[in-house]
Amino acid sequence: MAISAFAVKVPAAEALVGDLRCRYDATVALGVPAHITVLVPFMDPALITPEVLERAQQVLNKTPSFDFSLAKVERFPETAYLAPEPAAPFIEMTMALVEAFPNFPPYGGEHQGVIPHLTVAHGNTLNADAAAAELQIRLLASGAVHATCTEVTLIENSSGRWQDMHVFQLPQASTRFMRNVLFICSRNQWRSPTAEQLWRRHPLISARSAGTSPNARHKVSVDDVEWADVILVMEEKHKSRLVAEFTRMLEGKPIHVLDIPDEYKYMDPELIEELQRSVGSILEID
């Protein structure tokens, strides 16, 4: 019997995982792009009426669009996947759909709990091991994938291949007071990732981190600078390097120097205390 599914497509991840999915995920041959499943299985496409679509839209309207990142490789026994952060909005959408359509529990009720994931390899432990190892290497080289969830796609397989059936637009998040804050250090290993982790769940901040060094875990990019409303650098030298590389793009963008030396490890309590004090003061938030 044909089924349908709610999914969040992640085209930004294709460059990182596309070839691995072709090798290790059989759904690619059936037309499935890189995605994070929200709910599967859903009802037979032949039974999906305009009323069902309207009900689903009302449910999904409860979740505003949101930014997320893919920076962590995780495993199920025969699956390697990227775990989205934050995971909460994906889980909220899943649970809201289940409440509205109780006959369709996630994965047919076969698994306990909901773990959002972007599958890269599935069905074979050895393949999952290989894919996970390669993903770790690639993430260290390129840094996290950053994306924005603005829509959920209902896909169906009545033809034998998966294809789009309907797209649900999520409401735009309130940006009246929200700011995109880019944290910069040298190698994006200790200070700026700590700042991103510390502030990314704040309701008024969307946070990213990057480094100025060519050897940075994630080197600051044109996309990062364009995205940022405010840039917070750890030392004066980071500001100088940004200005030298992105002079025109930085016009009108405030850059603040936090004066935090390279003396701390990731999530060091003293570093956290210093970031809370300095960042909170500059952005005038708690």
Side-chain angles (χ1 to χ4, degrees):
M1 182 180 73
I3 62 170
S4 57
F6 293 90
V8 173
K9 296 181 181 180
V10 192
E14 292 287 1
L16 181 72
V17 305
D19 63 319
L20 294 175
R21 292 187 67 244
C22 287
R23 203 181 315 163
Y24 299 128
D25 185 355
T27 67
V28 173
L30 299 177
V32 179
H35 71 285
I36 297 167
T37 300
V38 176
L39 180 63
V40 68
F42 193 55
M43 64 178 63
D44 185 326
L47 302 178
I48 297 177
T49 64
E51 289 74 21
V52 169
L53 296 176
E54 177 59 28
R55 188 176 182 187
Q57 182 68 72
Q58 291 175 358
V59 169
L60 294 170
N61 282 343
K62 298 175 183 177
T63 302
S65 58
F66 58 93
D67 293 335
F68 65 96
S69 61
L70 298 164
K72 191 174 182 181
V73 181
E74 296 283 3
R75 288 289 306 275
F76 299 133
E78 295 185 343
T79 302
Y81 66 89
L82 293 172
E85 286 289 344
F90 295 101
I91 297 172
E92 290 167 3
M93 289 190 291
T94 299
M95 301 314 296
L97 286 167
V98 171
E99 183 177 359
F101 302 98
N103 291 331
F104 300 96
Y107 300 99
E110 293 182 5
H111 306 289
Q112 293 294 321
V114 176
I115 302 177
H117 56 283
L118 189 154
T119 297
V120 179
H122 176 68
N124 180 291
T125 300
L126 291 178
N127 288 346
D129 288 342
E134 178 62 24
L135 278 174
Q136 293 283 13
I137 294 171
R138 294 183 183 187
L139 283 172
L140 285 172
S142 66
V145 173
H146 297 285
T148 302
C149 178
T150 60
E151 62 188 34
V152 176
T153 304
L154 182 65
I155 59 177
E156 57 87 16
N157 66 353
S158 58
S159 68
R161 288 179 57 84
W162 288 91
Q163 56 189 355
D164 293 357
M165 183 176 185
H166 188 82
V167 177
F168 303 92
Q169 297 294 330
L170 299 183
Q172 185 173 0
S174 173
T175 57
R176 183 180 177 187
F177 298 110
M178 286 190 68
R179 281 171 286 184
N180 294 335
V181 181
L182 178 62
F183 294 98
I184 299 289
C185 64
S186 295
R187 293 175 295 168
N188 190 223
Q189 286 186 317
W190 310 126
R191 291 172 290 175
S192 60
T194 296
E196 179 182 8
Q197 175 69 19
L198 183 62
W199 291 101
R200 67 179 179 178
R201 288 189 173 87
H202 195 284
L204 301 181
I205 288 179
S206 180
R208 287 188 189 180
S209 67
T212 57
S213 169
N215 298 320
R217 186 178 63 91
H218 170 65
K219 187 179 185 303
V220 61
S221 66
V222 169
D223 177 69
D224 293 324
V225 175
E226 288 181 340
W227 170 87
D229 297 316
V230 181
I231 300 175
L232 301 182
V233 301
M234 300 297 155
E235 301 176 62
E236 187 67 42
K237 66 180 181 181
H238 302 134
K239 179 177 179 179
S240 298
R241 290 171 183 171
L242 284 177
V243 171
E245 188 170 354
F246 303 103
T247 304
R248 293 184 180 179
M249 294 179 60
L250 291 170
E251 293 180 5
K253 289 184 184 287
I255 304 177
H256 299 276
V257 180
L258 300 180
D259 287 321
I260 298 178
D262 190 8
E263 299 175 353
Y264 306 98
K265 296 296 185 181
Y266 179 66
M267 298 303 286
D268 185 301
E270 292 185 11
L271 174 58
I272 291 174
E273 182 178 350
E274 181 65 18
L275 285 167
Q276 288 175 328
R277 182 193 62 78
S278 58
V279 175
S281 176
I282 291 171
L283 299 182
E284 299 181 344
I285 56 175
D286 297 324

